[in-house]
Amino acid sequence: VQFVESGGGLVQPGGSLRLSCAASGFTFSSYTMSWYRQAPGKERESVAIITGAGGTRNYADSVKGRFTISRDNAKNTVYLQMNSLKPEDTAVYYCNAPSLAMVRRYWGQGTQVTVSS
């Protein structure tokens, strides 16, 4: 099982970024996927989740209306479109399948998102 996140960077408040996560080693389309983030000194939190077929999506209140999760099962990839970014969105962003997340070695390196003027 492997997750490779990309697309992070430095962006000004109000800006946008699109994160990508390439997954491998399991039947991607059968798994609910989630984007998580961890800010310095804080616990990792789930910010968006999408079911295997993409029919159901849920978001943390802190990102609702600004972030959109999507997936392409043909490419084994999950995306996170982030708009109207705020400084409090600064964190390392990871993807994982919630049912696989308890296995420590399955976590990828994440991608750093920094929102600052």
Side-chain angles (χ1 to χ4, degrees):
V1 173
Q2 188 176 24
F3 301 101
V4 180
E5 301 90 352
S6 62
L10 173 64
V11 63
Q12 291 187 342
S16 298
L17 283 174
R18 188 191 194 209
L19 307 184
S20 299
C21 170
S24 62
F26 63 104
T27 306
F28 180 76
S29 60
S30 297
Y31 283 76
T32 292
M33 291 295 298
S34 181
W35 278 98
Y36 300 81
R37 68 185 181 187
Q38 187 166 19
K42 295 188 177 181
E43 292 189 358
R44 187 178 291 162
E45 61 171 343
S46 173
V47 297
I49 192 165
I50 185 169
T51 51
T56 301
R57 313 175 196 198
N58 284 295
Y59 301 90
D61 287 343
S62 58
V63 307
K64 202 172 292 183
R66 301 187 297 120
F67 289 12
T68 302
I69 188 171
S70 61
R71 65 191 296 161
D72 185 337
N73 286 343
K75 295 182 178 179
N76 284 8
T77 300
V78 61
Y79 304 97
L80 187 67
Q81 177 67 43
M82 306 186 297
N83 298 328
S84 302
L85 282 161
K86 304 175 180 180
E88 51 263 43
D89 294 318
T90 295
V92 179
Y93 284 72
Y94 304 86
C95 72
N96 209 321
S99 60
L100 300 175
M102 73 289 293
V103 181
R104 193 169 188 172
R105 67 180 183 272
Y106 288 169
W107 287 89
Q109 293 299 307
T111 186
Q112 175 71 49
V113 172
T114 302
V115 185
S116 176
S117 54

